[in-house]
Amino acid sequence: MNYHILTLFPQMVMDGLNTSIIGRASEKGLISIEAIDIRDYSEDKHRHVDDYPYGGGAGMVMQPMPICRAYEDLCSRLGRRPRVIYTTPQGKVFNQNIARELSGEEDLVFLCGHYEGVDERALELIATDYLSIGDYVLTGGELPAMVMIDCISRLVPGVLTNQESGEEESFHDNLLEYPQYTRPEEFQGKKVPAVLLSGHHQKIRQWRRQESIRRTLERRPDLLEKAVLDKKEKQYLDQLIREQKQQSEQNTDEGGFVSNEDYRCKG
Ligand code: ADE
């Protein structure tokens, strides 16, 4: 996988992507990352790449010419026209399925916007995908590009070692990952669940699946609609839902008790 990032801040993306697992994957040649400085394609001796918006309004708009020249130069180097992902809060929200699809490409271009955005004509000419990393606004597209590159690269064969690669990580089967524990066996009065110390692999597998289901119901019930569950697991989920209902009815009877959890992140 070869990433080509069109940006006004090449140092920022290169610094952010040269550490840890992604840095190791680049060193091994499993992925390559290049930042293309859009300013290098400015036609102006002061290297300007932005101008005032036609029609007025606040901020500056990135001009189409330097962006399109940078992309065309890349295409002549590669001998093909790779997909161009424009990172924007107006895009489709990135997720694990999109990451999986993109991980099959040989080359990917990320166009990182700044200021008030990019001249629409540049987008019409070169952008193939509009992707957001969530419903909030950042100062530029570099962090979203880095987030997506990190996520996509994990899926490129060989990037994760066997130990790192998670068959059972979050979003596998549309479930969240089960809780993990390491030494010590007891920490501040909290014990590691006994089943994990039992050495009974079948029971451990079952406990982990059940915890995944419980956690998904508590934190991301929206995922359960598409979760892949067998008959016994569906029964377990139904039982959890019944318990949840009973609990909330009991709380209402007790005068609307609200737990700590309910105060957090009300966004
Ligand atoms: N640029 C600014 N905010 C963004 C977001 N949430 N996702 C993708 N690109 C962005």
Side-chain angles (χ1 to χ4, degrees):
M1 166 67 76
N2 306 305
Y3 300 104
H4 314 272
I5 309 167
L6 301 178
T7 173
L8 297 176
F9 299 95
Q11 196 68 41
M12 174 181 177
V13 288
M14 293 314 283
D15 284 351
L17 292 168
N18 73 3
T19 43
S20 188
I21 294 173
I22 305 305
R24 187 184 69 196
S26 299
E27 270 170 28
K28 281 203 213 161
L30 295 165
I31 61 171
S32 77
I33 305 171
E34 68 162 340
I36 298 171
D37 190 343
I38 296 170
R39 280 188 203 283
D40 289 346
Y41 293 88
S42 164
E43 288 185 308
D44 165 323
K45 70 171 189 262
H46 301 293
R47 290 164 57 83
H48 283 143
V49 288
D50 60 319
D51 212 328
Y52 296 98
Y54 278 121
M60 304 289 267
V61 177
M62 286 170 69
Q63 294 171 292
M65 180 65 98
I67 293 170
C68 289
R69 283 182 64 205
Y71 179 64
E72 292 306 330
D73 188 38
L74 172 67
C75 294
S76 342
R77 265 199 288 138
L78 297 177
R80 57 176 166 262
R81 301 181 70 77
R83 271 166 95 166
V84 177
I85 294 160
Y86 176 51
T87 53
T88 166
Q90 297 182 9
K92 186 169 179 185
V93 179
F94 184 72
N95 61 29
Q96 197 69 26
N97 286 337
I98 296 175
R100 222 167 276 133
E101 188 217 315
L102 293 175
S103 69
E105 297 284 332
E106 199 165 321
D107 291 277
L108 279 178
V109 178
F110 284 86
L111 171 59
C112 307
H114 256 270
Y115 313 122
E116 286 308 300
V118 169
D119 187 293
E120 194 64 24
R121 292 163 296 181
L123 301 175
E124 285 169 4
L125 287 166
I126 71 166
T128 54
D129 302 80
Y130 292 67
L131 289 179
S132 163
I133 58 164
D135 291 342
Y136 44 83
V137 182
L138 300 168
T139 55
E142 281 75 13
L143 286 171
M146 288 156 76
V147 166
M148 293 182 219
I149 289 170
D150 186 290
C151 180
I152 297 163
S153 299
R154 297 175 70 257
L155 305 174
V156 171
V159 168
L160 296 186
T161 62
N162 269 351
Q163 277 193 333
E164 289 160 349
S165 72
E167 258 296 281
E168 292 174 10
E169 67 187 11
S170 289
F171 305 113
H172 181 76
D173 280 351
N174 265 298
L175 292 174
L176 300 183
E177 196 188 2
Y178 49 79
Q180 296 275 19
Y181 299 86
T182 185
R183 281 193 286 196
E185 271 185 43
E186 188 173 332
F187 178 69
Q188 296 194 4
K190 288 171 170 288
K191 289 191 174 141
V192 172
V195 63
L196 299 179
L197 309 173
S198 69
H200 196 303
H201 297 301
Q202 162 70 25
K203 279 197 178 145
I204 292 173
R205 237 191 327 273
Q206 186 190 7
W207 180 86
R208 285 180 163 165
R209 279 292 286 188
Q210 291 187 341
E211 286 302 303
S212 281
I213 295 167
R214 176 193 297 279
R215 184 160 274 200
T216 310
L217 177 65
E218 279 170 7
R219 301 184 184 179
R220 290 291 308 277
D222 55 300
L223 292 176
L224 286 170
E225 222 169 281
K226 290 190 195 151
V228 184
L229 303 179
D230 68 21
K231 201 171 157 202
K232 271 200 167 157
E233 290 170 344
K234 276 190 192 126
Q235 285 168 351
Y236 179 71
L237 174 61
D238 288 341
Q239 180 197 324
L240 288 178
I241 292 170
R242 277 196 300 276
E243 282 171 16
Q244 213 181 39
K245 261 196 194 141
Q246 275 169 6
Q247 190 64 47
S248 80
E249 279 163 15
Q250 209 174 317
N251 290 344
T252 318
D253 290 348
E254 285 167 9
F257 168 79
V258 181
S259 79
N260 267 351
E261 290 298 315
D262 296 324
Y263 286 116
R264 297 199 184 129
C265 297
K266 291 246 174 64

CSV table of all heavy atoms in Angstrom, one decimal, residues 86-90 113 131-142 144-145 148, ligand 1:
chain,number,residue,atom,x,y,z
A,86,TYR,N,-10.8,12.9,-0.1
A,86,TYR,CA,-10.8,14.3,0.4
A,86,TYR,C,-11.4,14.2,1.9
A,86,TYR,O,-12.5,13.7,2.1
A,86,TYR,CB,-11.7,15.2,-0.4
A,86,TYR,CG,-11.9,16.6,0.1
A,86,TYR,CD1,-10.7,17.3,0.5
A,86,TYR,CD2,-13.1,17.2,0.3
A,86,TYR,CE1,-10.9,18.6,1.0
A,86,TYR,CE2,-13.3,18.5,0.8
A,86,TYR,CZ,-12.1,19.2,1.1
A,86,TYR,OH,-12.3,20.4,1.6
A,87,THR,N,-10.6,14.6,2.8
A,87,THR,CA,-11.0,14.5,4.2
A,87,THR,C,-11.8,15.7,4.6
A,87,THR,O,-11.3,16.8,4.5
A,87,THR,CB,-9.8,14.4,5.2
A,87,THR,OG1,-8.9,15.4,4.9
A,87,THR,CG2,-9.0,13.1,5.0
A,88,THR,N,-13.1,15.5,4.9
A,88,THR,CA,-14.0,16.6,5.2
A,88,THR,C,-15.1,16.2,6.1
A,88,THR,O,-15.6,15.0,6.0
A,88,THR,CB,-14.6,17.1,3.8
A,88,THR,OG1,-15.7,17.9,4.1
A,88,THR,CG2,-15.1,15.9,3.0
A,89,PRO,N,-15.5,17.1,7.0
A,89,PRO,CA,-16.7,16.7,7.8
A,89,PRO,C,-17.9,16.5,7.1
A,89,PRO,O,-18.9,16.0,7.6
A,89,PRO,CB,-16.8,17.9,8.8
A,89,PRO,CG,-15.9,19.0,8.3
A,89,PRO,CD,-15.0,18.4,7.3
A,90,GLN,N,-17.9,16.9,5.8
A,90,GLN,CA,-19.1,16.7,4.9
A,90,GLN,C,-19.1,15.3,4.3
A,90,GLN,O,-20.1,14.9,3.6
A,90,GLN,CB,-19.2,17.7,3.8
A,90,GLN,CG,-19.3,19.1,4.3
A,90,GLN,CD,-19.4,20.1,3.1
A,90,GLN,OE1,-19.5,19.7,2.0
A,90,GLN,NE2,-19.3,21.4,3.5
A,113,GLY,N,-7.6,19.3,3.4
A,113,GLY,CA,-8.0,20.7,3.2
A,113,GLY,C,-7.6,21.6,4.4
A,113,GLY,O,-7.4,21.1,5.5
A,131,LEU,N,-14.5,11.6,2.8
A,131,LEU,CA,-14.6,10.9,4.1
A,131,LEU,C,-14.4,11.8,5.3
A,131,LEU,O,-13.5,12.7,5.3
A,131,LEU,CB,-13.6,9.7,4.2
A,131,LEU,CG,-13.8,8.5,3.2
A,131,LEU,CD1,-12.7,7.5,3.4
A,131,LEU,CD2,-15.2,7.9,3.6
A,132,SER,N,-15.2,11.5,6.3
A,132,SER,CA,-15.1,12.3,7.6
A,132,SER,C,-14.7,11.3,8.7
A,132,SER,O,-14.9,10.1,8.6
A,132,SER,CB,-16.5,12.8,7.9
A,132,SER,OG,-16.6,13.2,9.3
A,133,ILE,N,-14.1,11.8,9.8
A,133,ILE,CA,-13.8,10.9,10.9
A,133,ILE,C,-14.8,11.1,12.0
A,133,ILE,O,-14.7,10.5,13.1
A,133,ILE,CB,-12.4,11.0,11.4
A,133,ILE,CG1,-12.0,12.4,11.9
A,133,ILE,CG2,-11.4,10.4,10.4
A,133,ILE,CD1,-10.7,12.3,12.8
A,134,GLY,N,-15.8,11.9,11.8
A,134,GLY,CA,-16.9,12.1,12.9
A,134,GLY,C,-17.5,13.5,12.8
A,134,GLY,O,-17.0,14.4,12.1
A,135,ASP,N,-18.6,13.6,13.4
A,135,ASP,CA,-19.4,14.8,13.3
A,135,ASP,C,-18.9,15.9,14.2
A,135,ASP,O,-19.5,16.3,15.2
A,135,ASP,CB,-20.9,14.5,13.6
A,135,ASP,CG,-21.5,13.7,12.5
A,135,ASP,OD1,-20.9,13.6,11.4
A,135,ASP,OD2,-22.5,13.1,12.7
A,136,TYR,N,-17.7,16.4,13.9
A,136,TYR,CA,-17.1,17.5,14.6
A,136,TYR,C,-16.1,18.1,13.6
A,136,TYR,O,-15.8,17.5,12.6
A,136,TYR,CB,-16.4,17.1,15.9
A,136,TYR,CG,-15.6,15.8,15.7
A,136,TYR,CD1,-14.3,15.9,15.2
A,136,TYR,CD2,-16.1,14.6,16.0
A,136,TYR,CE1,-13.5,14.7,15.0
A,136,TYR,CE2,-15.3,13.4,15.8
A,136,TYR,CZ,-14.1,13.5,15.3
A,136,TYR,OH,-13.3,12.4,15.1
A,137,VAL,N,-15.7,19.4,13.9
A,137,VAL,CA,-14.9,20.1,12.9
A,137,VAL,C,-13.5,20.3,13.4
A,137,VAL,O,-13.3,20.9,14.5
A,137,VAL,CB,-15.5,21.4,12.5
A,137,VAL,CG1,-14.7,22.1,11.5
A,137,VAL,CG2,-16.9,21.2,12.0
A,138,LEU,N,-12.5,19.9,12.7
A,138,LEU,CA,-11.1,20.1,13.0
A,138,LEU,C,-10.5,21.2,12.2
A,138,LEU,O,-11.2,21.7,11.3
A,138,LEU,CB,-10.3,18.8,12.7
A,138,LEU,CG,-10.8,17.5,13.5
A,138,LEU,CD1,-10.2,16.3,12.9
A,138,LEU,CD2,-10.5,17.7,15.0
A,139,THR,N,-9.3,21.6,12.5
A,139,THR,CA,-8.7,22.8,11.8
A,139,THR,C,-8.2,22.4,10.4
A,139,THR,O,-7.9,23.2,9.6
A,139,THR,CB,-7.5,23.4,12.6
A,139,THR,OG1,-6.6,22.3,12.9
A,139,THR,CG2,-8.1,24.0,13.9
A,140,GLY,N,-8.0,21.1,10.2
A,140,GLY,CA,-7.5,20.7,8.9
A,140,GLY,C,-7.7,19.2,8.7
A,140,GLY,O,-8.1,18.4,9.6
A,141,GLY,N,-7.4,18.7,7.5
A,141,GLY,CA,-7.6,17.3,7.2
A,141,GLY,C,-6.5,16.4,7.5
A,141,GLY,O,-6.5,15.2,7.2
A,142,GLU,N,-5.4,16.9,8.1
A,142,GLU,CA,-4.2,16.1,8.3
A,142,GLU,C,-4.5,15.0,9.4
A,142,GLU,O,-4.1,13.8,9.2
A,142,GLU,CB,-3.0,16.9,8.7
A,142,GLU,CG,-2.3,17.6,7.6
A,142,GLU,CD,-3.0,18.8,7.1
A,142,GLU,OE1,-3.9,19.3,7.7
A,142,GLU,OE2,-2.6,19.3,6.0
A,144,PRO,N,-7.4,13.7,10.4
A,144,PRO,CA,-8.2,12.6,9.8
A,144,PRO,C,-7.5,11.7,8.9
A,144,PRO,O,-7.7,10.5,8.9
A,144,PRO,CB,-9.3,13.4,9.1
A,144,PRO,CG,-9.4,14.7,9.8
A,144,PRO,CD,-8.0,15.0,10.2
A,145,ALA,N,-6.6,12.3,8.0
A,145,ALA,CA,-5.9,11.4,7.1
A,145,ALA,C,-5.0,10.4,7.9
A,145,ALA,O,-4.9,9.2,7.6
A,145,ALA,CB,-5.0,12.3,6.2
A,148,MET,N,-7.1,7.6,9.4
A,148,MET,CA,-7.5,6.6,8.4
A,148,MET,C,-6.3,5.8,8.0
A,148,MET,O,-6.5,4.6,7.8
A,148,MET,CB,-8.2,7.3,7.2
A,148,MET,CG,-9.5,8.0,7.6
A,148,MET,SD,-10.3,8.7,6.1
A,148,MET,CE,-10.9,10.2,6.8
B,1,ADE,N1,-11.6,18.2,8.4
B,1,ADE,C1,-12.1,19.0,9.4
B,1,ADE,N2,-12.8,18.2,10.2
B,1,ADE,C2,-12.9,17.0,9.7
B,1,ADE,C3,-13.5,15.8,10.1
B,1,ADE,N3,-14.3,15.7,11.2
B,1,ADE,N4,-13.3,14.7,9.3
B,1,ADE,C4,-12.5,14.7,8.2
B,1,ADE,N5,-11.9,15.8,7.8
B,1,ADE,C5,-12.1,17.0,8.5
